[in-house]
Structures are given as structure tokens and as C-alpha cells.
Amino acid sequence: MFKSPGAVAIQFGPLTLHWYGLIIALAVLAGTMLASREAKQRGEDAEALLNVLVFSVLAALVGARLYYVIFNWSFYWQSPARIFAIWEGGLAIHGGIAGGFILGFIMMRTKRLPIATYLDIVAPSMILGQALGRWGNFFNQEAFGVPTDLPWKLYIDVAYRPAEYAQFSYFHPTFLYESVWDFLVFATLFGVLQKRLAPYSGALFLIYLALYSVGRFFIEGLRTDSLMLGSFRVAQLVSVALIVLAAVAVPLIIKKKYKVGQSGGGRNLL
């Protein structure tokens, strides 16, 4: 059994630093450093990649917040000022991936950078950042699951419990499940698949999406705070779509690479 020590990391007069923000900053820093290192090792332009990453991270934060707010609009339209209170939590990873990808794609296309190669470079960094970032949910007492009596149960204060579970004290630490899964995905991508898939630009990024989605699909089924679309959990719908995308696209990438290798060909910006 364990319990969050609270959302505030440092309180100094009017200055308040929240664990959530500090952990997100740490996750971004760790991911950026890893991506820069990998770009240099591959002989790519690390400075150009970092320039793209700076704006993509900002777009990811905006996308993650907008995604969350849209699916919780019934709450935020009554308190619009709280839309900007990201230290309270409420960043949806699928919105973040979409926001970062869209702006990153536009910037790389404009700069004529090899998009698929750069996506492969950042894939391990992204899942590492997600693994670290999930701990922000722990301090905010959010993203937990249904009640449980398992030895690793998580205590949640009364104020943070869903109304239907107000009488329960201990819940599944789904943030922890996802963090552990993300670290396993990171180890698989970085330690096993990265070099093997290097010739197949874009494949590693798609496999990242698929592997993350497999874990997220099952973990989402335990959560009490899922974003809903009718009677369906949005994260599960998106997870299925990403798994299908990877299952279709990765074989096509490998097949295309094989044909190009047979006929001889240059580097593709896509």
C-alpha cells in the first residue's frame, strides 16, 4: 500500500511548485536529451531535430490539454479559467501525440528533413517521457483505477474519490501500471528493435504506437476517469485504431524497402 505525499513540491511565499509540472519538465528533458544523442549517433542533424522538438513539445502540451478539455467540456464551460490550470492535471496523451506530430510533421516537411527517420529517433524518447510523466498523476491523485485490496493498492483521499466509490479507500494504481508498461516498451524499442528496424524508416515509430496502445487498452479498462464517447472509452477506441494502423503500415514499409533495395533508390523525405 502506498499514498501520495501531496501535489505541492515546494511552497515559498507566493511561489508554488507542483510535482506535476516538475515531473513533466523532467520527462521532456530526459526525452529530448535521448533524442539528441540518438540523432548524433545516426549522423543526423541533432540541432535541426531539437529545433523541431522545442515547438513540437509545446504543441503536444496544447494538444494534450485541448483533447482533455474537449471531452470534459461539460465541466470546463462552467469554469473556463481552469482550462489553463494544467498543474491540476488533465493532459491526455493521445491529444499530445496528435498535437506534437502535426506541428512536427509540418516543420520537418518545410525544412525538408527525413520525417520517418526523425520519427523513429524520437519514438523511444516519447515512451520514456510517458513512463516518467505518469508519476505526475500519482502526486495529483488522479488516473487511478477501481477499488482493490491488492498489496500494491493506492490510498486515495476522500476529496479525490469518485462519488460512486466514496466508501472505498484503496484503488488500482493504474498510473503505475502504465508507467511500468511504458518502461517495458522503452526497453523493447531502445534495446531490441531500434537497430534491427533502422533500415525500415517509420516502422519503429509505428510499433511504438502499437505497443503503447496494447497496454493502454487493457489498463484503460480499469480506470475510473476515462474520457467517454457515448458508452465507449475514447482511449480504447484510439488504441485499437493505432494498433490496426501499425499492423497494416509496418508490413507495407518493409515490403517497400525490399522493393527499393532490389531496384536501388535514394533517401525518401517521408
Side-chain angles (χ1 to χ4, degrees):
M1 187 270 287
F2 57 109
K3 176 184 177 181
S4 168
V8 177
I10 300 173
Q11 181 80 52
F12 188 74
L15 176 64
T16 301
L17 293 179
H18 293 82
W19 280 113
Y20 192 87
L22 290 175
I23 289 173
I24 294 298
L26 173 63
V28 170
L29 178 61
T32 301
M33 291 175 64
L34 180 64
S36 177
R37 171 182 173 274
E38 179 61 21
K40 292 175 182 177
Q41 289 190 345
R42 288 192 181 211
E44 298 293 342
D45 189 340
E47 184 175 349
L49 175 62
L50 287 176
N51 288 336
V52 172
L53 281 178
V54 168
F55 292 99
S56 293
V57 166
L58 294 176
L61 291 173
V62 172
R65 187 58 172 173
L66 282 177
Y67 189 98
Y68 185 83
V69 168
I70 287 170
F71 283 101
N72 285 282
W73 186 243
S74 59
F75 169 78
Y76 284 104
W77 80 271
Q78 301 178 57
S79 305
R82 297 184 71 176
I83 291 175
F84 303 98
I86 61 172
W87 56 86
E88 295 179 353
L91 295 177
I93 185 60
H94 287 128
I97 293 173
F101 176 84
I102 292 170
L103 184 60
F105 182 92
I106 293 172
M107 290 185 67
M108 287 187 286
R109 189 71 172 172
T110 301
K111 296 175 180 290
R112 297 189 60 80
L113 299 172
I115 297 172
T117 298
Y118 277 38
L119 288 176
D120 286 346
I121 289 173
V122 301
S125 300
M126 291 176 67
I127 196 66
L128 175 62
Q130 289 169 233
L132 295 171
R134 272 299 167 196
W135 282 88
N137 301 137
F138 166 62
F139 290 99
N140 273 7
Q141 297 192 65
E142 61 186 4
F144 53 86
V146 294
T148 183
D149 282 325
L150 291 171
W152 52 85
K153 59 192 177 184
L154 172 68
Y155 178 81
I156 297 295
D157 291 331
V158 175
Y160 296 97
R161 299 173 195 168
E164 64 270 32
Y165 297 122
Q167 73 273 29
F168 296 95
S169 298
Y170 301 100
F171 299 79
H172 277 283
T174 46
F175 83 90
L176 176 62
Y177 299 163
E178 189 167 329
S179 180
V180 170
W181 177 255
D182 290 349
F183 275 121
L184 291 174
V185 173
F186 168 72
T188 301
L189 296 179
F190 188 71
V192 180
L193 297 179
Q194 191 172 56
K195 291 184 179 179
R196 296 182 182 183
L197 294 176
Y200 309 105
S201 298
L204 189 72
F205 182 78
L206 288 167
I207 290 175
Y208 144 67
L209 293 178
L211 289 179
Y212 167 68
S213 297
V214 168
R216 180 61 185 269
F217 180 89
F218 290 105
I219 294 168
E220 189 68 23
L222 291 172
R223 285 179 58 165
T224 60
D225 61 343
S226 296
L227 303 178
M228 303 298 292
L229 186 61
S231 58
F232 296 98
R233 297 173 188 257
V234 176
Q236 289 185 323
L237 294 176
V238 176
S239 294
V240 170
L242 293 176
I243 292 169
V244 172
L245 172 64
V248 172
V250 170
L252 292 177
I253 290 173
I254 294 174
K255 183 178 180 180
K256 180 180 178 181
K257 176 64 178 179
Y258 176 76
K259 287 184 177 180
V260 170
Q262 290 289 79
S263 60
R267 193 180 199 196
N268 195 325
L269 289 176
L270 290 177

